[in-house]
Amino acid sequence: MQKLFGVIGDPIGHSMSPAIHNDAFSHQNIQASYHAFHVKEQHLEDAVKGFKAIGISGFNVTVPHKTAIIPFLDEMDELAEAIGAVNTVKNENGKLIGYNTDGPGYVAALKEEMNSPLRDKKTLIIGAGGAARGIYYSLVYEGVSHIDICNRTIEKAEKLIHDCPYKATSAALSMHAAAEKLSQYDLIIQTTSIGMSPNTHASPLTLENVNQEAFVSDIIYNPLKTAFLQEAETRGTKIQNGIGMFVYQGALAFQIWTGVFPDTKRMKKIVLEKLGGTIC
Ligand code: NAP
């Protein structure tokens, strides 16, 4: 029988996940189909119960359900539990198990695109929302020992650092303080929604003091090159956009469900076609 997979969120209409997963199933000769399901907050519990009742094999979870779904799951993977957010669920013999592949997906894409050891990189994360949380925890888990976080609401950066069960040397900074000492960082990761379409001219902070040898990453993929990345490129640093993170979170979810790691180049090509870009 064909296996069923999907993604739940609100809104969900523009999700690129069905395209990448359905292509990967067919490419790997796996009899399965993947659909987008629009689930409103008040229907989340019923939706999860329904999925269980019909024996769905697995699903992704996106905004705004990544934390709210946790009470409706049977078990949690260690990293997802630490992060406090789930983006992937696997049905194992009737038990729904929650995973988080956003943070590990980001780290996998970073390793591929940066192509130099991560551990000794003095790192700055801009933003302290859900995505920053997954990325911070995954980088610390990976052994990166110095990671500062700057955020508009500094208390959120403090809380994020305090809550993390894995330890690193970290300070919570204001945006202004981070911009002032930017030259100290080897790796700068932009995780706020500032610069996302349609507000494409906005940027979270000036890169005036950036070190030319630094690697500058932005997890936004629409636009493919944010104003922040454009400035970084102009100042001579290497840059990375959010496509890699999106592709690898999907690839790791696919691997959790099927045991097979899919062709990420194919996935990237599909995403870029949908966004109207070209392979870089
Ligand atoms: P979130 O939890 O809502 O966090 C938003 C972050 O942006 C917070 O740090 C918030 O600061 C900051 N922010 C928002 N508007 C701001 C403003 N006007 N001025 C200063 N700071 C502002 O969102 P998220 O889930 O972490 O997602 C953040 C971004 O990452 C989105 O653009 C999303 O599309 C992208 N993303 C990409 C991927 C991928 O696969 N590439 C995956 C996940 C997310 P405060 O704490 O002060 O409010």
Side-chain angles (χ1 to χ4, degrees), residues 63 66 102 126-132 150-154 156 175 190-194 196 204 218-221 241-247 249:
V63 178
K66 289 186 184 186
D102 280 332
I126 304 168
C150 66
N151 195 42
R152 171 179 62 179
T153 317
I154 200 162
K156 281 202 203 162
M175 295 290 216
Q190 194 314 99
T191 73
T192 74
S193 42
I194 303 170
M196 199 167 79
D218 193 326
I219 67 167
I220 290 173
Y221 52 76
N241 67 18
I243 296 274
M245 176 176 178
F246 179 74
V247 164
Q249 63 75 31

PDB file of all heavy atoms in Angstrom, residues 63 66 102 126-132 150-154 156 175 190-194 196 204 218-221 241-247 249, ligand 1:
ATOM      1  N   VAL A  63       5.155  26.532  10.985  1.00  0.00           N
ATOM      2  CA  VAL A  63       4.563  27.641  11.739  1.00  0.00           C
ATOM      3  C   VAL A  63       3.039  27.591  11.655  1.00  0.00           C
ATOM      4  O   VAL A  63       2.512  27.392  10.568  1.00  0.00           O
ATOM      5  CB  VAL A  63       5.072  28.980  11.145  1.00  0.00           C
ATOM      6  CG1 VAL A  63       4.456  30.181  11.844  1.00  0.00           C
ATOM      7  CG2 VAL A  63       6.599  29.048  11.248  1.00  0.00           C
ATOM      8  N   LYS A  66       5.001  24.306  15.761  1.00  0.00           N
ATOM      9  CA  LYS A  66       6.210  23.549  16.102  1.00  0.00           C
ATOM     10  C   LYS A  66       6.347  23.246  17.603  1.00  0.00           C
ATOM     11  O   LYS A  66       6.910  22.231  17.976  1.00  0.00           O
ATOM     12  CB  LYS A  66       7.459  24.304  15.619  1.00  0.00           C
ATOM     13  CG  LYS A  66       7.602  24.281  14.100  1.00  0.00           C
ATOM     14  CD  LYS A  66       8.914  24.892  13.656  1.00  0.00           C
ATOM     15  CE  LYS A  66       8.980  24.939  12.140  1.00  0.00           C
ATOM     16  NZ  LYS A  66      10.278  25.390  11.638  1.00  0.00           N
ATOM     17  N   ASP A 102      15.487  21.213  11.822  1.00  0.00           N
ATOM     18  CA  ASP A 102      15.808  22.588  11.387  1.00  0.00           C
ATOM     19  C   ASP A 102      17.247  22.949  11.764  1.00  0.00           C
ATOM     20  O   ASP A 102      18.024  23.403  10.920  1.00  0.00           O
ATOM     21  CB  ASP A 102      14.854  23.602  12.044  1.00  0.00           C
ATOM     22  CG  ASP A 102      13.502  23.667  11.353  1.00  0.00           C
ATOM     23  OD1 ASP A 102      13.438  23.396  10.141  1.00  0.00           O
ATOM     24  OD2 ASP A 102      12.506  24.006  12.027  1.00  0.00           O
ATOM     25  N   ILE A 126      22.301  36.464  15.020  1.00  0.00           N
ATOM     26  CA  ILE A 126      21.424  37.641  15.102  1.00  0.00           C
ATOM     27  C   ILE A 126      19.990  37.122  15.151  1.00  0.00           C
ATOM     28  O   ILE A 126      19.540  36.443  14.224  1.00  0.00           O
ATOM     29  CB  ILE A 126      21.620  38.562  13.874  1.00  0.00           C
ATOM     30  CG1 ILE A 126      23.094  38.952  13.745  1.00  0.00           C
ATOM     31  CG2 ILE A 126      20.724  39.797  13.980  1.00  0.00           C
ATOM     32  CD1 ILE A 126      23.432  39.627  12.411  1.00  0.00           C
ATOM     33  N   GLY A 127      19.287  37.409  16.247  1.00  0.00           N
ATOM     34  CA  GLY A 127      17.919  36.924  16.413  1.00  0.00           C
ATOM     35  C   GLY A 127      17.856  35.868  17.500  1.00  0.00           C
ATOM     36  O   GLY A 127      18.851  35.166  17.757  1.00  0.00           O
ATOM     37  N   ALA A 128      16.694  35.765  18.153  1.00  0.00           N
ATOM     38  CA  ALA A 128      16.546  34.779  19.239  1.00  0.00           C
ATOM     39  C   ALA A 128      15.164  34.136  19.186  1.00  0.00           C
ATOM     40  O   ALA A 128      14.568  33.814  20.211  1.00  0.00           O
ATOM     41  CB  ALA A 128      16.778  35.459  20.584  1.00  0.00           C
ATOM     42  N   GLY A 129      14.640  33.948  17.966  1.00  0.00           N
ATOM     43  CA  GLY A 129      13.340  33.314  17.794  1.00  0.00           C
ATOM     44  C   GLY A 129      13.489  31.796  17.693  1.00  0.00           C
ATOM     45  O   GLY A 129      14.519  31.226  18.082  1.00  0.00           O
ATOM     46  N   GLY A 130      12.448  31.146  17.151  1.00  0.00           N
ATOM     47  CA  GLY A 130      12.427  29.683  17.069  1.00  0.00           C
ATOM     48  C   GLY A 130      13.580  29.128  16.248  1.00  0.00           C
ATOM     49  O   GLY A 130      14.223  28.140  16.649  1.00  0.00           O
ATOM     50  N   ALA A 131      13.871  29.742  15.113  1.00  0.00           N
ATOM     51  CA  ALA A 131      14.929  29.215  14.245  1.00  0.00           C
ATOM     52  C   ALA A 131      16.292  29.383  14.925  1.00  0.00           C
ATOM     53  O   ALA A 131      17.128  28.478  14.896  1.00  0.00           O
ATOM     54  CB  ALA A 131      14.910  29.940  12.904  1.00  0.00           C
ATOM     55  N   ALA A 132      16.496  30.543  15.586  1.00  0.00           N
ATOM     56  CA  ALA A 132      17.766  30.791  16.278  1.00  0.00           C
ATOM     57  C   ALA A 132      17.991  29.741  17.364  1.00  0.00           C
ATOM     58  O   ALA A 132      19.108  29.261  17.570  1.00  0.00           O
ATOM     59  CB  ALA A 132      17.756  32.185  16.902  1.00  0.00           C
ATOM     60  N   CYS A 150      22.663  38.240  19.549  1.00  0.00           N
ATOM     61  CA  CYS A 150      22.113  39.589  19.717  1.00  0.00           C
ATOM     62  C   CYS A 150      20.665  39.586  19.234  1.00  0.00           C
ATOM     63  O   CYS A 150      20.307  38.854  18.311  1.00  0.00           O
ATOM     64  CB  CYS A 150      22.940  40.633  18.974  1.00  0.00           C
ATOM     65  SG  CYS A 150      22.925  40.499  17.193  1.00  0.00           S
ATOM     66  N   ASN A 151      19.852  40.368  19.916  1.00  0.00           N
ATOM     67  CA  ASN A 151      18.434  40.398  19.559  1.00  0.00           C
ATOM     68  C   ASN A 151      17.826  41.727  19.975  1.00  0.00           C
ATOM     69  O   ASN A 151      18.304  42.365  20.923  1.00  0.00           O
ATOM     70  CB  ASN A 151      17.695  39.253  20.276  1.00  0.00           C
ATOM     71  CG  ASN A 151      16.326  38.980  19.690  1.00  0.00           C
ATOM     72  OD1 ASN A 151      16.161  38.985  18.469  1.00  0.00           O
ATOM     73  ND2 ASN A 151      15.333  38.743  20.537  1.00  0.00           N
ATOM     74  N   ARG A 152      16.776  42.136  19.232  1.00  0.00           N
ATOM     75  CA  ARG A 152      16.053  43.364  19.606  1.00  0.00           C
ATOM     76  C   ARG A 152      15.613  43.264  21.062  1.00  0.00           C
ATOM     77  O   ARG A 152      15.820  44.174  21.850  1.00  0.00           O
ATOM     78  CB  ARG A 152      14.843  43.539  18.661  1.00  0.00           C
ATOM     79  CG  ARG A 152      13.911  44.643  19.078  1.00  0.00           C
ATOM     80  CD  ARG A 152      12.760  44.767  18.104  1.00  0.00           C
ATOM     81  NE  ARG A 152      11.921  43.565  18.019  1.00  0.00           N
ATOM     82  CZ  ARG A 152      10.852  43.459  17.252  1.00  0.00           C
ATOM     83  NH1 ARG A 152      10.509  44.467  16.461  1.00  0.00           N
ATOM     84  NH2 ARG A 152      10.133  42.357  17.216  1.00  0.00           N
ATOM     85  N   THR A 153      14.988  42.119  21.416  1.00  0.00           N
ATOM     86  CA  THR A 153      14.565  41.897  22.802  1.00  0.00           C
ATOM     87  C   THR A 153      15.667  41.072  23.474  1.00  0.00           C
ATOM     88  O   THR A 153      15.712  39.848  23.331  1.00  0.00           O
ATOM     89  CB  THR A 153      13.215  41.136  22.833  1.00  0.00           C
ATOM     90  OG1 THR A 153      12.358  41.708  21.849  1.00  0.00           O
ATOM     91  CG2 THR A 153      12.565  41.162  24.193  1.00  0.00           C
ATOM     92  N   ILE A 154      16.543  41.734  24.189  1.00  0.00           N
ATOM     93  CA  ILE A 154      17.748  41.075  24.703  1.00  0.00           C
ATOM     94  C   ILE A 154      17.412  39.953  25.702  1.00  0.00           C
ATOM     95  O   ILE A 154      18.095  38.939  25.771  1.00  0.00           O
ATOM     96  CB  ILE A 154      18.713  42.135  25.293  1.00  0.00           C
ATOM     97  CG1 ILE A 154      20.132  41.573  25.366  1.00  0.00           C
ATOM     98  CG2 ILE A 154      18.259  42.688  26.596  1.00  0.00           C
ATOM     99  CD1 ILE A 154      21.196  42.634  25.513  1.00  0.00           C
ATOM    100  N   LYS A 156      15.195  37.767  25.469  1.00  0.00           N
ATOM    101  CA  LYS A 156      14.952  36.496  24.756  1.00  0.00           C
ATOM    102  C   LYS A 156      16.271  35.804  24.438  1.00  0.00           C
ATOM    103  O   LYS A 156      16.363  34.576  24.472  1.00  0.00           O
ATOM    104  CB  LYS A 156      14.176  36.754  23.461  1.00  0.00           C
ATOM    105  CG  LYS A 156      12.695  36.954  23.667  1.00  0.00           C
ATOM    106  CD  LYS A 156      11.970  36.654  22.365  1.00  0.00           C
ATOM    107  CE  LYS A 156      10.635  37.326  22.301  1.00  0.00           C
ATOM    108  NZ  LYS A 156      10.115  37.415  20.933  1.00  0.00           N
ATOM    109  N   MET A 175      21.627  44.725  19.584  1.00  0.00           N
ATOM    110  CA  MET A 175      22.014  44.788  18.171  1.00  0.00           C
ATOM    111  C   MET A 175      23.176  45.773  18.008  1.00  0.00           C
ATOM    112  O   MET A 175      24.125  45.520  17.271  1.00  0.00           O
ATOM    113  CB  MET A 175      20.837  45.275  17.311  1.00  0.00           C
ATOM    114  CG  MET A 175      19.666  44.326  17.279  1.00  0.00           C
ATOM    115  SD  MET A 175      20.059  42.849  16.348  1.00  0.00           S
ATOM    116  CE  MET A 175      18.497  42.537  15.572  1.00  0.00           C
ATOM    117  N   GLN A 190      22.401  35.314  10.444  1.00  0.00           N
ATOM    118  CA  GLN A 190      21.231  36.178  10.516  1.00  0.00           C
ATOM    119  C   GLN A 190      19.975  35.307  10.540  1.00  0.00           C
ATOM    120  O   GLN A 190      19.677  34.631   9.566  1.00  0.00           O
ATOM    121  CB  GLN A 190      21.269  37.096   9.284  1.00  0.00           C
ATOM    122  CG  GLN A 190      20.365  38.302   9.245  1.00  0.00           C
ATOM    123  CD  GLN A 190      18.925  38.124   9.637  1.00  0.00           C
ATOM    124  OE1 GLN A 190      18.520  38.419  10.785  1.00  0.00           O
ATOM    125  NE2 GLN A 190      18.117  37.644   8.705  1.00  0.00           N
ATOM    126  N   THR A 191      19.231  35.324  11.666  1.00  0.00           N
ATOM    127  CA  THR A 191      18.051  34.453  11.769  1.00  0.00           C
ATOM    128  C   THR A 191      16.754  35.228  11.994  1.00  0.00           C
ATOM    129  O   THR A 191      15.715  34.609  12.239  1.00  0.00           O
ATOM    130  CB  THR A 191      18.199  33.442  12.941  1.00  0.00           C
ATOM    131  OG1 THR A 191      18.048  34.168  14.182  1.00  0.00           O
ATOM    132  CG2 THR A 191      19.523  32.732  12.924  1.00  0.00           C
ATOM    133  N   THR A 192      16.779  36.562  11.966  1.00  0.00           N
ATOM    134  CA  THR A 192      15.518  37.286  12.159  1.00  0.00           C
ATOM    135  C   THR A 192      14.738  37.281  10.839  1.00  0.00           C
ATOM    136  O   THR A 192      15.265  36.871   9.800  1.00  0.00           O
ATOM    137  CB  THR A 192      15.733  38.763  12.577  1.00  0.00           C
ATOM    138  OG1 THR A 192      16.169  39.507  11.442  1.00  0.00           O
ATOM    139  CG2 THR A 192      16.741  38.896  13.703  1.00  0.00           C
ATOM    140  N   SER A 193      13.500  37.745  10.894  1.00  0.00           N
ATOM    141  CA  SER A 193      12.707  37.813   9.655  1.00  0.00           C
ATOM    142  C   SER A 193      12.945  39.131   8.907  1.00  0.00           C
ATOM    143  O   SER A 193      12.310  39.381   7.880  1.00  0.00           O
ATOM    144  CB  SER A 193      11.223  37.622   9.991  1.00  0.00           C
ATOM    145  OG  SER A 193      10.900  38.339  11.156  1.00  0.00           O
ATOM    146  N   ILE A 194      13.883  39.947   9.404  1.00  0.00           N
ATOM    147  CA  ILE A 194      14.150  41.247   8.768  1.00  0.00           C
ATOM    148  C   ILE A 194      14.828  41.041   7.411  1.00  0.00           C
ATOM    149  O   ILE A 194      15.860  40.366   7.322  1.00  0.00           O
ATOM    150  CB  ILE A 194      15.046  42.132   9.655  1.00  0.00           C
ATOM    151  CG1 ILE A 194      14.405  42.318  11.027  1.00  0.00           C
ATOM    152  CG2 ILE A 194      15.310  43.477   9.002  1.00  0.00           C
ATOM    153  CD1 ILE A 194      15.317  42.977  12.038  1.00  0.00           C
ATOM    154  N   MET A 196      13.061  39.824   4.805  1.00  0.00           N
ATOM    155  CA  MET A 196      12.258  38.852   4.067  1.00  0.00           C
ATOM    156  C   MET A 196      11.253  39.583   3.173  1.00  0.00           C
ATOM    157  O   MET A 196      10.784  40.666   3.541  1.00  0.00           O
ATOM    158  CB  MET A 196      11.508  37.982   5.083  1.00  0.00           C
ATOM    159  CG  MET A 196      11.010  36.683   4.539  1.00  0.00           C
ATOM    160  SD  MET A 196      10.507  35.613   5.898  1.00  0.00           S
ATOM    161  CE  MET A 196       8.932  36.283   6.299  1.00  0.00           C
ATOM    162  N   PRO A 204      19.040  43.881   9.569  1.00  0.00           N
ATOM    163  CA  PRO A 204      19.016  43.967  11.039  1.00  0.00           C
ATOM    164  C   PRO A 204      20.120  44.838  11.623  1.00  0.00           C
ATOM    165  O   PRO A 204      19.927  45.453  12.659  1.00  0.00           O
ATOM    166  CB  PRO A 204      19.186  42.513  11.486  1.00  0.00           C
ATOM    167  CG  PRO A 204      19.842  41.838  10.341  1.00  0.00           C
ATOM    168  CD  PRO A 204      19.369  42.526   9.113  1.00  0.00           C
ATOM    169  N   ASP A 218      22.562  33.940   6.032  1.00  0.00           N
ATOM    170  CA  ASP A 218      21.215  34.456   6.317  1.00  0.00           C
ATOM    171  C   ASP A 218      20.252  33.315   6.036  1.00  0.00           C
ATOM    172  O   ASP A 218      20.302  32.710   4.960  1.00  0.00           O
ATOM    173  CB  ASP A 218      20.921  35.656   5.397  1.00  0.00           C
ATOM    174  CG  ASP A 218      19.683  36.432   5.833  1.00  0.00           C
ATOM    175  OD1 ASP A 218      18.745  35.790   6.348  1.00  0.00           O
ATOM    176  OD2 ASP A 218      19.653  37.655   5.651  1.00  0.00           O
ATOM    177  N   ILE A 219      19.369  32.977   7.000  1.00  0.00           N
ATOM    178  CA  ILE A 219      18.511  31.802   6.778  1.00  0.00           C
ATOM    179  C   ILE A 219      17.280  32.115   5.936  1.00  0.00           C
ATOM    180  O   ILE A 219      16.516  31.221   5.601  1.00  0.00           O
ATOM    181  CB  ILE A 219      18.128  31.104   8.101  1.00  0.00           C
ATOM    182  CG1 ILE A 219      17.210  31.985   8.959  1.00  0.00           C
ATOM    183  CG2 ILE A 219      19.362  30.687   8.879  1.00  0.00           C
ATOM    184  CD1 ILE A 219      16.560  31.202  10.098  1.00  0.00           C
ATOM    185  N   ILE A 220      17.114  33.377   5.575  1.00  0.00           N
ATOM    186  CA  ILE A 220      16.001  33.734   4.676  1.00  0.00           C
ATOM    187  C   ILE A 220      16.334  33.236   3.261  1.00  0.00           C
ATOM    188  O   ILE A 220      17.491  33.302   2.841  1.00  0.00           O
ATOM    189  CB  ILE A 220      15.814  35.274   4.673  1.00  0.00           C
ATOM    190  CG1 ILE A 220      15.263  35.728   6.035  1.00  0.00           C
ATOM    191  CG2 ILE A 220      14.903  35.724   3.530  1.00  0.00           C
ATOM    192  CD1 ILE A 220      15.189  37.237   6.213  1.00  0.00           C
ATOM    193  N   TYR A 221      15.325  32.697   2.537  1.00  0.00           N
ATOM    194  CA  TYR A 221      15.574  32.317   1.145  1.00  0.00           C
ATOM    195  C   TYR A 221      14.652  33.038   0.161  1.00  0.00           C
ATOM    196  O   TYR A 221      14.704  32.791  -1.034  1.00  0.00           O
ATOM    197  CB  TYR A 221      15.506  30.793   0.929  1.00  0.00           C
ATOM    198  CG  TYR A 221      14.265  30.126   1.450  1.00  0.00           C
ATOM    199  CD1 TYR A 221      13.044  30.224   0.794  1.00  0.00           C
ATOM    200  CD2 TYR A 221      14.315  29.378   2.622  1.00  0.00           C
ATOM    201  CE1 TYR A 221      11.913  29.611   1.285  1.00  0.00           C
ATOM    202  CE2 TYR A 221      13.187  28.759   3.127  1.00  0.00           C
ATOM    203  CZ  TYR A 221      11.995  28.883   2.449  1.00  0.00           C
ATOM    204  OH  TYR A 221      10.867  28.286   2.942  1.00  0.00           O
ATOM    205  N   ASN A 241      22.838  31.704   1.674  1.00  0.00           N
ATOM    206  CA  ASN A 241      21.421  32.013   1.934  1.00  0.00           C
ATOM    207  C   ASN A 241      20.706  30.817   2.593  1.00  0.00           C
ATOM    208  O   ASN A 241      21.337  29.817   2.918  1.00  0.00           O
ATOM    209  CB  ASN A 241      20.717  32.478   0.655  1.00  0.00           C
ATOM    210  CG  ASN A 241      20.602  31.366  -0.380  1.00  0.00           C
ATOM    211  OD1 ASN A 241      20.728  30.189  -0.066  1.00  0.00           O
ATOM    212  ND2 ASN A 241      20.381  31.751  -1.625  1.00  0.00           N
ATOM    213  N   GLY A 242      19.389  30.940   2.787  1.00  0.00           N
ATOM    214  CA  GLY A 242      18.640  29.941   3.550  1.00  0.00           C
ATOM    215  C   GLY A 242      18.203  28.704   2.783  1.00  0.00           C
ATOM    216  O   GLY A 242      17.569  27.814   3.360  1.00  0.00           O
ATOM    217  N   ILE A 243      18.553  28.612   1.494  1.00  0.00           N
ATOM    218  CA  ILE A 243      18.123  27.446   0.705  1.00  0.00           C
ATOM    219  C   ILE A 243      18.705  26.148   1.280  1.00  0.00           C
ATOM    220  O   ILE A 243      18.004  25.149   1.394  1.00  0.00           O
ATOM    221  CB  ILE A 243      18.603  27.579  -0.765  1.00  0.00           C
ATOM    222  CG1 ILE A 243      17.949  28.776  -1.435  1.00  0.00           C
ATOM    223  CG2 ILE A 243      18.361  26.306  -1.541  1.00  0.00           C
ATOM    224  CD1 ILE A 243      16.619  28.503  -2.032  1.00  0.00           C
ATOM    225  N   GLY A 244      19.988  26.193   1.624  1.00  0.00           N
ATOM    226  CA  GLY A 244      20.649  24.986   2.124  1.00  0.00           C
ATOM    227  C   GLY A 244      19.961  24.460   3.378  1.00  0.00           C
ATOM    228  O   GLY A 244      19.736  23.258   3.518  1.00  0.00           O
ATOM    229  N   MET A 245      19.605  25.365   4.280  1.00  0.00           N
ATOM    230  CA  MET A 245      18.921  24.953   5.511  1.00  0.00           C
ATOM    231  C   MET A 245      17.591  24.285   5.179  1.00  0.00           C
ATOM    232  O   MET A 245      17.253  23.227   5.716  1.00  0.00           O
ATOM    233  CB  MET A 245      18.677  26.165   6.406  1.00  0.00           C
ATOM    234  CG  MET A 245      17.890  25.847   7.668  1.00  0.00           C
ATOM    235  SD  MET A 245      17.738  27.315   8.720  1.00  0.00           S
ATOM    236  CE  MET A 245      16.744  26.672  10.062  1.00  0.00           C
ATOM    237  N   PHE A 246      16.834  24.911   4.260  1.00  0.00           N
ATOM    238  CA  PHE A 246      15.535  24.348   3.901  1.00  0.00           C
ATOM    239  C   PHE A 246      15.696  22.946   3.302  1.00  0.00           C
ATOM    240  O   PHE A 246      14.984  22.007   3.656  1.00  0.00           O
ATOM    241  CB  PHE A 246      14.784  25.274   2.927  1.00  0.00           C
ATOM    242  CG  PHE A 246      13.465  24.692   2.530  1.00  0.00           C
ATOM    243  CD1 PHE A 246      12.404  24.695   3.416  1.00  0.00           C
ATOM    244  CD2 PHE A 246      13.299  24.083   1.301  1.00  0.00           C
ATOM    245  CE1 PHE A 246      11.195  24.101   3.085  1.00  0.00           C
ATOM    246  CE2 PHE A 246      12.097  23.496   0.958  1.00  0.00           C
ATOM    247  CZ  PHE A 246      11.036  23.506   1.847  1.00  0.00           C
ATOM    248  N   VAL A 247      16.651  22.812   2.389  1.00  0.00           N
ATOM    249  CA  VAL A 247      16.862  21.531   1.709  1.00  0.00           C
ATOM    250  C   VAL A 247      17.301  20.460   2.711  1.00  0.00           C
ATOM    251  O   VAL A 247      16.768  19.345   2.723  1.00  0.00           O
ATOM    252  CB  VAL A 247      17.905  21.699   0.574  1.00  0.00           C
ATOM    253  CG1 VAL A 247      18.445  20.356   0.112  1.00  0.00           C
ATOM    254  CG2 VAL A 247      17.284  22.463  -0.593  1.00  0.00           C
ATOM    255  N   GLN A 249      16.946  20.390   6.046  1.00  0.00           N
ATOM    256  CA  GLN A 249      15.943  19.976   7.046  1.00  0.00           C
ATOM    257  C   GLN A 249      14.999  18.957   6.418  1.00  0.00           C
ATOM    258  O   GLN A 249      14.581  18.002   7.063  1.00  0.00           O
ATOM    259  CB  GLN A 249      15.205  21.169   7.682  1.00  0.00           C
ATOM    260  CG  GLN A 249      14.347  22.044   6.758  1.00  0.00           C
ATOM    261  CD  GLN A 249      13.018  21.416   6.350  1.00  0.00           C
ATOM    262  OE1 GLN A 249      12.436  20.648   7.127  1.00  0.00           O
ATOM    263  NE2 GLN A 249      12.549  21.711   5.143  1.00  0.00           N
TER     264      GLN A 249
HETATM  265  P1  NAP B   1      10.343  33.974  15.167  1.00  0.00           P
HETATM  266  O1  NAP B   1      10.406  32.878  16.154  1.00  0.00           O
HETATM  267  O2  NAP B   1       9.097  34.765  15.034  1.00  0.00           O
HETATM  268  O3  NAP B   1      11.577  34.994  15.518  1.00  0.00           O
HETATM  269  C1  NAP B   1      11.694  36.221  14.841  1.00  0.00           C
HETATM  270  C2  NAP B   1      13.030  36.897  15.189  1.00  0.00           C
HETATM  271  O4  NAP B   1      13.136  38.086  14.375  1.00  0.00           O
HETATM  272  C3  NAP B   1      13.143  37.377  16.633  1.00  0.00           C
HETATM  273  O5  NAP B   1      14.500  37.367  17.030  1.00  0.00           O
HETATM  274  C4  NAP B   1      12.612  38.814  16.550  1.00  0.00           C
HETATM  275  O6  NAP B   1      13.093  39.666  17.572  1.00  0.00           O
HETATM  276  C5  NAP B   1      13.224  39.241  15.231  1.00  0.00           C
HETATM  277  N1  NAP B   1      12.490  40.342  14.608  1.00  0.00           N
HETATM  278  C6  NAP B   1      11.336  40.262  13.893  1.00  0.00           C
HETATM  279  N2  NAP B   1      10.974  41.489  13.457  1.00  0.00           N
HETATM  280  C7  NAP B   1      11.911  42.362  13.923  1.00  0.00           C
HETATM  281  C8  NAP B   1      12.117  43.770  13.799  1.00  0.00           C
HETATM  282  N3  NAP B   1      11.257  44.533  13.115  1.00  0.00           N
HETATM  283  N4  NAP B   1      13.201  44.328  14.388  1.00  0.00           N
HETATM  284  C9  NAP B   1      14.087  43.559  15.070  1.00  0.00           C
HETATM  285  N5  NAP B   1      13.960  42.215  15.222  1.00  0.00           N
HETATM  286  C10 NAP B   1      12.886  41.634  14.655  1.00  0.00           C
HETATM  287  O7  NAP B   1      10.656  33.463  13.682  1.00  0.00           O
HETATM  288  P2  NAP B   1      11.552  32.173  13.247  1.00  0.00           P
HETATM  289  O8  NAP B   1      10.676  30.981  13.132  1.00  0.00           O
HETATM  290  O9  NAP B   1      12.744  32.122  14.129  1.00  0.00           O
HETATM  291  O10 NAP B   1      11.947  32.590  11.733  1.00  0.00           O
HETATM  292  C11 NAP B   1      12.810  33.676  11.489  1.00  0.00           C
HETATM  293  C12 NAP B   1      13.168  33.751  10.002  1.00  0.00           C
HETATM  294  O11 NAP B   1      13.847  32.563   9.612  1.00  0.00           O
HETATM  295  C13 NAP B   1      11.957  33.881   9.069  1.00  0.00           C
HETATM  296  O12 NAP B   1      12.298  34.785   8.038  1.00  0.00           O
HETATM  297  C14 NAP B   1      11.819  32.477   8.472  1.00  0.00           C
HETATM  298  O13 NAP B   1      11.270  32.496   7.168  1.00  0.00           O
HETATM  299  C15 NAP B   1      13.274  32.029   8.432  1.00  0.00           C
HETATM  300  N6  NAP B   1      13.410  30.551   8.483  1.00  0.00           N
HETATM  301  C16 NAP B   1      14.089  29.921   7.473  1.00  0.00           C
HETATM  302  C17 NAP B   1      14.230  28.546   7.507  1.00  0.00           C
HETATM  303  C18 NAP B   1      14.953  27.833   6.395  1.00  0.00           C
HETATM  304  O14 NAP B   1      14.738  26.620   6.223  1.00  0.00           O
HETATM  305  N7  NAP B   1      15.812  28.501   5.649  1.00  0.00           N
HETATM  306  C19 NAP B   1      13.698  27.791   8.572  1.00  0.00           C
HETATM  307  C20 NAP B   1      13.040  28.473   9.609  1.00  0.00           C
HETATM  308  C21 NAP B   1      12.899  29.859   9.553  1.00  0.00           C
HETATM  309  P3  NAP B   1      12.281  39.822  18.976  1.00  0.00           P
HETATM  310  O15 NAP B   1      12.629  38.620  19.785  1.00  0.00           O
HETATM  311  O16 NAP B   1      12.789  41.090  19.548  1.00  0.00           O
HETATM  312  O17 NAP B   1      10.815  39.870  18.620  1.00  0.00           O
END
